[in-house]
Amino acid sequence: MDFLFSYIVLAEIYVLLGLSTNLLVGIAGIFSVSQAAVFGVGAYLVAHFMMAADPLSFIPSMLIAAACCVALNILVTLPSLRVSGDYFVVTSFGIQLLATAVFTNWAQGTGGANGLPGIPPPDLFGWPVETTGRYVLLCTLFAGLGCLAFWLIMRAPFGRLVRAIREDETAVAAAGKNVLRAKVSAAALAGAFAGTAGGLYATFLSFIDPSSFDLDASILLLTMVVVGGARTLAGSVIGPFLLLALPQLLTLVDIPTTIAAAARQLIYGLLLIVFMLFRPQGLAGERL
Amino acid sequence: MTAYLQVDGLDHRFGGLRALQECSFTIEQGRITCLVGPNGAGKTTIFNVITGFLKPDQGSVAFRGRSLDGLRPQSIVHAGIARTFQNLRLFTDLTALDNVLVGISGQFGEEPLGAILRPMHTARAQARRRMEAMQTLEHVGLADRARDLVRNLSYGEQKLLTVARVLATGAELLLLDEPASGLSAGALDAIMSLLRRLQNEGKTLLVVEHNTRVVQQIADDVLFLHQGHLMAQGTPERIISDPALAEIYFGGAL
């Protein structure tokens, strides 16, 4: 049962990340390959606050981490307002490498390559979230709220505005709209989602290390959006659940773990290529 | 008396090309003014300067006595001037109705926090805006295509939709870049009668147009641009019958 529960918890955390990536890449057309870096900052911040000499409890830690990730994501997205499209991918790639370097080498802050063990479980107003079953409830709550927020903004004028921006910024400005403000809003929301996911991830696993927040992780997020489907709520949910089921299935097959990890990367890569070539709209979305 | 739109001494260079040279003119309220001239005369550049997409090297633009210099495109729309593009620039993955809705100003729910915290209010405000947008579509004759994606609309319908999108902004001075080019006879009549109707409702129009038949039928006033400079201004009859201008327009010139 714990096996299934921990799959659900991880999938729901990745749903938040899927929403974040979909907002930025699928909807606003800001092609970021550094969403895992923001996810990582959220995770390290929550770990830091909850493990401090004078520790904060779960909710305040999450709020501060989310606020920091909002600011951070706006900051890392700002270059996209100056350099467009293809050039931003390269900039964002640099940001991801920079973040990985910091996570790996800043030993006092992040534990370096050894990671950060012993992150305490959340405590919700005296209700300790210690069992995986309780964690499912907590993550379902967060993922549910994330989906609700995503659904509300996508059906509101904001959703239409960012979709229009993705197609033609000049025409949006000519229609009298503030393109900059809308893009910053999209980046802020994406940052809040990624930071929240980071906090849930750190407290659930109680151990984090840089390998969860590297370029591979960013590309996994993009793969989830491509396979699930860009610009739809269903796509942001289906992608994570499907792609995270894969490693779980591989553990059922009797192969050595070293091969299983390689096989997983191989299958992810193949999925990305096959979907881009034959089904660019993903399972339940629109063309990226 | 201050002019409705005053363009004063505009100069602009693209590298070695002098696209505008001391270009000055005024436009009167409530009239349809056609901007004509050979290719490369600077017609679209003028549009880009007036609407804030291009900063001129020199010169200034004033609307109702208020300077527009240095304003960003969205501020100029709010000041009351909106434009279309020669290459349309519609949002082809959105519906016709959504294209018009993007143009409507001051909508609740354009900020994500408002949309999340006050969903009911957002939905009600949306419903009202949708009605407004439908009326605008009806006005240009596209009501039956409201739910269709723009890429499924005919070229003539797309041209009408660009007009609907500028109308949605509520601007009173409309800058239309070749609204009649490439249209079939039927679509041409539709757009010309639409332009007349807009004038009767109090809009002022500045229209880039190549087709002399269209110019003769709709223009109250014609501005003849040549090499970035205003060469002549007058009634369509006067401009079209001037042999010197015809020579520039139809060949031989440069």
Side-chain angles (χ1 to χ4, degrees):
Chain A
M1 207 58 184
D2 259 15
F3 180 78
L4 179 68
F5 278 173
S6 66
Y7 160 67
I8 293 175
V9 166
L10 280 177
E12 283 174 339
I13 291 172
Y14 273 85
V15 164
L16 284 171
L17 291 166
L19 292 171
S20 167
T21 311
N22 218 338
L23 247 171
L24 213 54
V25 179
I27 297 159
I30 301 170
F31 208 99
S32 160
V33 289
S34 56
Q35 280 315 94
V38 182
F39 173 45
V41 169
Y44 280 113
L45 281 176
V46 168
H48 171 77
F49 290 128
M50 292 181 68
M51 292 165 73
D54 188 11
L56 287 177
S57 61
F58 179 67
I59 294 288
S61 302
M62 289 288 276
L63 286 175
I64 300 173
C68 292
C69 287
V70 166
L72 177 72
N73 209 36
I74 291 174
L75 202 68
V76 300
T77 313
L78 278 182
S80 81
L81 310 170
R82 299 197 67 85
V83 297
S84 57
D86 308 347
Y87 294 99
F88 179 69
V89 179
V90 180
T91 316
S92 151
F93 184 70
I95 291 165
Q96 175 65 56
L97 294 185
L98 187 78
T100 304
V102 173
F103 294 156
T104 314
N105 295 304
W106 186 31
Q108 293 107 318
T110 64
N114 294 330
L116 210 56
I119 303 162
D123 189 327
L124 281 182
F125 312 107
W127 187 65
V129 185
E130 277 164 338
T131 63
T132 317
R134 286 184 173 187
Y135 234 99
V136 171
L137 291 179
L138 181 71
C139 286
T140 305
L141 177 71
F142 274 98
L145 286 175
C147 289
L148 180 66
F150 184 89
W151 181 73
L152 285 174
I153 58 166
M154 284 314 290
R155 64 196 284 278
F158 176 76
R160 184 169 50 232
L161 188 62
V162 280
R163 292 167 72 112
I165 287 173
R166 187 186 131 268
E167 282 204 55
D168 193 334
E169 283 184 26
T170 303
V172 173
K177 300 294 166 171
N178 193 332
V179 173
L180 179 71
R181 188 192 295 182
K183 277 186 155 186
V184 167
S185 299
L189 275 172
F193 283 164
T196 306
L200 291 171
Y201 187 82
T203 50
F204 173 62
L205 293 185
S206 83
F207 167 79
I208 49 175
D209 73 353
S211 70
S212 306
F213 316 115
D214 60 6
L215 186 65
D216 283 353
S218 277
I219 292 173
L220 174 62
L221 293 178
L222 288 173
T223 312
M224 284 174 174
V225 170
V226 168
V227 171
R231 295 199 280 294
T232 60
L233 180 57
S236 316
V237 176
I238 293 171
F241 270 92
L242 205 65
L243 261 67
L244 289 183
L246 196 67
Q248 310 290 342
L249 291 178
L250 283 175
T251 56
L252 298 179
V253 188
D254 191 23
I255 47 173
T257 49
T258 47
I259 297 178
R264 194 183 65 206
Q265 285 304 94
L266 194 75
I267 295 171
Y268 285 161
L270 277 175
L271 276 176
L272 193 56
I273 295 169
V274 167
F275 269 86
M276 284 315 270
L277 285 179
F278 301 109
R279 201 173 160 85
Q281 71 274 41
L283 292 172
E286 298 167 23
R287 191 177 286 263
L288 190 66
Chain B
M1 203 190 94
T2 54
Y4 185 64
L5 181 80
Q6 172 123 33
V7 172
D8 204 20
L10 290 182
D11 242 78
H12 194 76
R13 279 177 188 279
F14 293 111
L17 176 77
R18 212 164 157 199
L20 296 176
Q21 316 190 31
E22 290 170 36
C23 185
S24 305
F25 59 85
T26 59
I27 287 178
E28 286 177 47
Q29 185 169 11
R31 292 168 77 91
I32 298 182
T33 307
C34 279
L35 192 57
V36 302
N39 284 326
K43 304 182 293 289
T44 298
T45 307
I46 286 275
F47 269 29
N48 286 338
V49 169
I50 295 174
T51 52
F53 284 96
L54 190 67
K55 271 196 201 334
D57 297 336
Q58 259 174 42
S60 62
V61 179
F63 179 59
R64 290 179 167 280
R66 179 191 162 202
S67 169
L68 301 181
D69 301 338
L71 291 187
R72 284 183 301 178
Q74 72 258 27
S75 311
I76 290 174
V77 174
H78 296 144
I81 305 177
R83 58 130 7 135
T84 66
F85 295 89
Q86 204 176 327
N87 56 350
L88 310 189
R89 305 199 86 130
L90 289 166
F91 310 117
T92 52
D93 283 348
L94 303 188
T95 63
L97 187 69
D98 276 338
N99 267 265
V100 177
L101 278 163
V102 169
I104 294 181
S105 68
Q107 301 181 59
F108 189 84
E110 264 183 0
E111 297 292 335
L113 272 186
I116 292 170
L117 298 177
R118 300 186 62 191
M120 301 309 278
H121 184 70
T122 304
R124 279 195 301 271
Q126 275 255 76
R128 280 196 300 275
R129 298 306 189 186
R130 224 178 270 279
M131 300 257 289
E132 277 177 55
M134 268 314 282
Q135 283 166 2
T136 308
L137 279 178
E138 263 165 42
H139 199 52
V140 303
L142 288 177
D144 54 332
R145 306 305 303 267
R147 304 275 160 203
D148 292 321
L149 293 181
V150 167
R151 59 178 130 88
N152 298 331
L153 265 51
S154 74
Y155 188 63
E157 288 170 330
Q158 293 192 8
K159 288 234 160 183
L160 288 168
L161 186 58
T162 63
V163 178
R165 195 170 62 183
V166 291
L167 281 176
T169 65
E172 48 175 295
L173 170 58
L174 310 181
L175 273 53
L176 309 179
D177 203 344
E178 303 201 12
S181 71
L183 293 185
S184 64
L188 200 60
D189 289 339
I191 203 118
M192 284 200 291
S193 77
L194 172 63
L195 299 189
R196 279 253 172 266
R197 229 166 38 237
L198 296 179
Q199 182 185 24
N200 291 335
E201 288 156 12
K203 302 283 185 194
T204 306
L205 275 66
L206 177 62
V207 183
V208 169
E209 191 47 65
H210 280 295
N211 186 332
T212 45
R213 189 173 75 83
V214 174
V215 173
Q216 268 175 308
Q217 286 196 20
I218 65 166
D220 301 309
D221 210 6
V222 177
L223 302 170
F224 192 100
L225 214 61
H226 181 47
Q227 295 181 344
H229 190 75
L230 185 75
M231 267 206 111
Q233 177 163 15
T235 61
E237 294 72 31
R238 195 181 87 61
I239 299 287
I240 286 164
S241 62
D242 186 327
L245 297 180
E247 172 69 12
I248 290 172
Y249 197 68
F250 292 112
L254 271 184

